[in-house]
């Protein structure tokens, strides 16, 4: 366990235990029905592979991409998988912090706070998210005894069965159609990373650059967390009365100017990936999901509204509102480009990191077309 001054930075086991203890119980469902849901989600995941490949044309015929496992999990399983992913992704940053440890006042404060507090805080965050995520392609997923991953140590598709059942009941939509609809979205993410070999390394490099720019001085880091905590007190104020940081997320507040540049590039990539998945989901949907229009309309309303005042405040603090914008902006980008240059023309986006859209180009798809297509043709 990585530590500073002898104190653990993150107690990962406590994070899992805390999140598992605090997470909301899943929907009321019999054991027999639960087995049927799991079996159906696995079938839909398998069927989605062919639907997504034919629609996106990202993987040439006769090509077999890297095989990645599909895991149907409960909320506790999602928590364990994500803690393992966080631990792997943050390992270089925590090692860097350990190398800077000292007996000064900063190290004493961190030693006093300890990894147990950090573990509890991480667990509380994961308990909030674990009841909301329907599915997830884990790009950086180390294999564990209970959670297999791809051969190279990264990549697995998670479908969170209780959350899918909860939402299909809440929306009052056809459960079989909804399960396939969700599987199509998540399978698109798996196709993106298995069909574009360089994408995983590129994304990991950008994330590590972001983490490398993190100020590892403990006192400075704690001061930024204090500022972030103060901003949360403005989340419940009436509209128009927030302070200077009232509309900013935790991620916005703790980042440095150099990190903002990296975050701009990451935002563009994530907008592309999420928007592409939504576009594919709706493109394939009419052929295989009979009630896709009803599902889309009700799901969009649910995304926009959130579950209540507390949910909306937490979404803003954690930056989840920005993720919702990524779906919307990215889908508009993909749709506009496909309408102008066709699917094969859009697929030039996967050629190299240089053909990925910038954050500005996500908002102005014609600029991406001009840069990537017309420049190449001139």
């Amino acid at each position: 366990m990585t530590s500073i001054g002898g104190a653990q930075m993150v107690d990962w086991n406590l994070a899992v235990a805390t999140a598992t203890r605090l997470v909301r119980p899943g929907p009321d469902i019999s054991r027999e029905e639960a087995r049927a849901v799991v079996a159906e989600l696995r079938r839909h995941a398998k069927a989605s592979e062919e639907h997504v490949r034919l629609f996106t044309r990202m993987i040439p015929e006769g090509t077999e991409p890297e095989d990645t496992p599909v895991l149907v999990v409960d909320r506790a399983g999602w928590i364990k998988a994500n803690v393992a992913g966080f631990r792997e992704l943050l390992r270089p940053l925590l090692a860097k912090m350990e190398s800077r440890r000292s007996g000064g006042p900063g190290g004493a404060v961190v030693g006093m706070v300890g990894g147990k507090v950090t573990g509890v805080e991480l667990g509380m965050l994961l308990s909030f998210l674990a009841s909301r995520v329907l599915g997830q392609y884990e790009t950086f997923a180390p294999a564990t005894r209970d959670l297999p991953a791809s051969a190279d140590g990264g990549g697995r598709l998670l479908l969170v069965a209780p959350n899918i059942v909860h939402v299909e009941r809440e929306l009052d939509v056809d459960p079989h159609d909804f399960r396939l609809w969700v599987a199509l979205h998540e399978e698109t993410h798996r196709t993106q990373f298995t069909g574009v070999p360089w994408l995983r390394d590129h994304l990991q490099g950008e994330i590590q650059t972001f983490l490398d720019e993190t100020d590892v001085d403990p006192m400075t880091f704690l001061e930024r967390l204090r500022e972030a905590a103060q901003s949360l007190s403005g989340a419940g104020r009436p509209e128009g009365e927030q302070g200077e940081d009232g509309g900013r997320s935790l991620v916005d507040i703790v980042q440095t100017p150099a990190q903002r540049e990296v975050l701009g590039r990451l935002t563009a990539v994530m907008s592309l990936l999420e928007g592409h998945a939504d576009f594919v989901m709706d493109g394939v949907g009419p052929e295989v999901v009979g009630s896709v229009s009803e599902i889309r309309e009700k799901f969009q309303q649910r995304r926009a509204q959130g579950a209540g005042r507390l949910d909306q405040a937490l979404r803003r603090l954690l930056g989840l509102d920005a993720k919702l914008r990524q779906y919307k902006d990215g889908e508009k980008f993909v749709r506009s480009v496909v309408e102008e240059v066709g699917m094969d023309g859009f697929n030039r986006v996967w050629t190299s990191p240089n053909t990925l859209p910038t954050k500005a180009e996500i908002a102005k798809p014609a600029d991406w077309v001009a840069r990537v297509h017309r420049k190449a043709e001139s």
Side-chain angles (χ1 to χ4, degrees):
M1 198 77 69
T2 303
S3 62
I4 287 186
Q8 296 176 351
M9 283 296 297
V10 182
D11 188 331
W12 300 104
N13 292 332
L14 184 57
V16 171
T18 300
T20 303
R21 185 176 68 253
L22 295 179
V23 71
R24 297 175 182 175
D28 187 16
I29 185 171
S30 69
R31 182 167 297 187
E32 182 179 348
E33 186 181 359
R35 283 197 293 263
V37 170
V38 170
E40 183 175 11
L41 286 172
R42 286 176 176 154
R43 289 196 304 271
H44 285 331
K46 184 64 178 176
S48 295
E49 290 184 43
E50 189 65 19
H51 294 315
V52 171
R53 288 188 192 186
L54 288 174
F55 185 82
T56 64
R57 302 202 287 271
M58 290 179 64
I59 300 174
E61 277 189 59
T63 301
E64 282 301 320
E66 173 192 14
D67 185 37
T68 55
V70 177
L71 307 180
V72 181
V73 298
D74 58 11
R75 291 170 178 175
W78 181 87
I79 288 167
K80 291 176 183 177
N82 276 265
V83 167
F86 280 138
R87 187 173 187 173
E88 183 68 21
L89 199 60
L90 294 176
R91 192 184 302 277
L93 174 62
L94 296 181
K96 181 179 178 182
M97 294 182 79
E98 182 181 15
S99 70
R100 290 273 302 270
R101 66 184 175 183
S102 68
V109 169
V110 173
M112 203 165 42
V113 172
K116 293 194 178 299
V117 173
T118 310
V120 169
E121 290 173 343
L122 178 57
M124 293 173 65
L125 169 61
L126 289 172
S127 72
F128 170 76
L129 296 174
S131 62
R132 287 158 172 78
V133 176
L134 301 182
Q136 173 184 357
Y137 182 76
E138 277 201 293
T139 314
F140 315 107
T144 67
R145 183 180 61 184
D146 300 324
L147 296 165
S150 63
D152 68 350
R156 60 182 167 226
L157 180 61
L158 305 180
L159 296 171
V160 191
N163 295 351
I164 293 172
V165 171
H166 172 77
V167 173
E168 69 192 27
R169 291 178 177 180
E170 182 183 89
L171 298 181
D172 190 24
V173 294
D174 183 286
H176 309 293
D177 281 0
F178 185 74
R179 293 164 196 172
L180 176 55
W181 190 71
V182 171
L184 288 169
H185 181 100
E186 302 308 331
E187 176 58 36
T188 302
H189 286 315
R190 183 163 70 152
T191 299
Q192 289 164 348
F193 284 94
T194 57
V196 184
W198 55 264
L199 185 58
R200 179 180 181 271
D201 289 342
H202 172 71
L203 194 59
Q204 185 173 30
E206 291 281 54
I207 292 172
Q208 289 305 326
T209 299
F210 182 91
L211 293 177
D212 287 344
E213 290 293 333
T214 299
D215 195 326
V216 293
D217 174 68
M219 290 300 291
T220 302
F221 186 72
L222 289 175
E223 176 65 19
R224 288 183 179 172
L225 287 180
R226 184 187 63 80
E227 292 174 7
Q230 287 178 344
S231 77
L232 179 57
S233 65
R237 297 174 192 163
E239 189 173 353
E241 293 186 14
Q242 284 90 344
E244 183 179 349
D245 291 331
R248 299 171 67 193
S249 72
L250 179 61
V251 174
D252 292 327
I253 293 168
V254 302
Q255 68 187 252
T256 65
Q259 285 175 312
R260 290 191 184 97
E261 293 184 17
V262 179
L263 192 62
R265 298 195 298 269
L266 281 171
T267 298
V269 174
M270 298 311 297
S271 296
L272 170 68
L273 298 180
E274 296 294 356
H276 182 238
D278 265 12
F279 177 79
V280 172
M281 182 169 58
D282 288 345
V284 174
E287 297 293 327
V288 297
V289 182
S291 57
V292 64
S293 297
E294 178 191 4
I295 291 172
R296 164 57 78 185
E297 181 180 357
K298 290 183 175 180
F299 194 76
Q300 289 286 57
Q301 290 174 355
R302 183 181 186 273
R303 270 183 181 171
Q305 292 171 357
R309 178 179 289 272
L310 176 61
D311 186 77
Q312 290 171 2
L314 285 169
R315 290 196 322 185
R316 182 164 65 247
L317 178 71
L318 298 174
L320 300 182
D321 281 347
K323 184 174 177 64
L324 297 182
R325 289 194 296 274
Q326 289 173 6
Y327 287 104
K328 183 178 178 181
D329 296 344
E331 196 275 341
K332 283 183 178 179
F333 170 84
V334 176
R335 186 174 301 279
S336 296
V337 173
V338 171
E339 286 176 355
E340 185 165 351
V341 297
M343 184 63 76
D344 291 333
F346 165 78
N347 280 340
R348 287 196 188 181
V349 78
W350 312 117
T351 304
S352 75
N354 292 330
T355 56
L356 291 172
T358 64
K359 189 176 179 181
E361 288 170 340
I362 289 288
K364 295 183 177 180
D367 290 354
W368 180 87
V369 172
R371 177 172 68 86
V372 173
H373 280 266
R374 292 172 191 152
K375 183 178 179 181
E377 292 165 3
S378 62

